[in-house]
Amino acid sequence: MKRNKQEIIDQILDLLTELVEDEPAEKQEKEQPMEMLTVKECTEAVRGLSEHTVRKLVTQGKVHFIRTGEGKCGKILISKQSLLEYLNGAA
């Protein structure tokens, strides 16, 4: 009985060690900076995409974006990854 408990404890320790060792790789993926594009840069990155279409995607909430500055006068910055995922049908 005691031997069985020790085996279980050893297995748990092995699993915890694996989790701790794998964690830095996951953090590195999250630490990569997000590339943001202006509306015009989006049209340059994707041939055939118009500024009007990009603004509609932002208005409809179909791509991730931030607005710099205050109110509606702020510059719109769109996540390149989000835009490409949406256009590839992943969204």
Side-chain angles (χ1 to χ4, degrees):
M1 184 82 164
K2 186 175 184 180
R3 178 183 250 176
N4 194 11
K5 288 181 182 179
Q6 187 60 41
E7 288 175 9
I8 293 172
I9 291 172
D10 290 340
Q11 289 175 349
I12 291 172
L13 285 174
D14 289 339
L15 290 172
L16 289 173
T17 303
E18 287 179 28
L19 286 173
V20 171
E21 290 174 357
D22 290 342
E23 190 173 330
E26 293 174 3
K27 285 185 178 181
Q28 288 177 353
E29 291 176 9
K30 292 179 183 180
E31 290 176 2
Q32 293 177 345
M34 182 182 298
E35 187 173 354
M36 303 298 282
L37 304 173
T38 64
V39 173
K40 184 170 179 128
E41 289 172 336
C42 288
T43 63
E44 293 169 359
V46 181
R47 180 174 283 179
L49 190 64
S50 70
E51 289 185 24
H52 176 74
T53 302
V54 174
R55 291 180 193 281
K56 288 291 271 185
L57 293 174
V58 167
T59 302
Q60 295 170 357
K62 295 187 177 181
V63 293
H64 297 288
F65 72 97
I66 59 171
R67 188 181 296 272
T68 61
E70 294 184 21
K72 292 184 178 184
C73 296
K75 182 182 281 192
I76 298 170
L77 296 175
I78 297 106
S79 163
K80 182 177 181 180
Q81 180 181 358
S82 174
L83 177 67
L84 295 177
E85 285 176 359
Y86 175 79
L87 294 175
N88 286 326

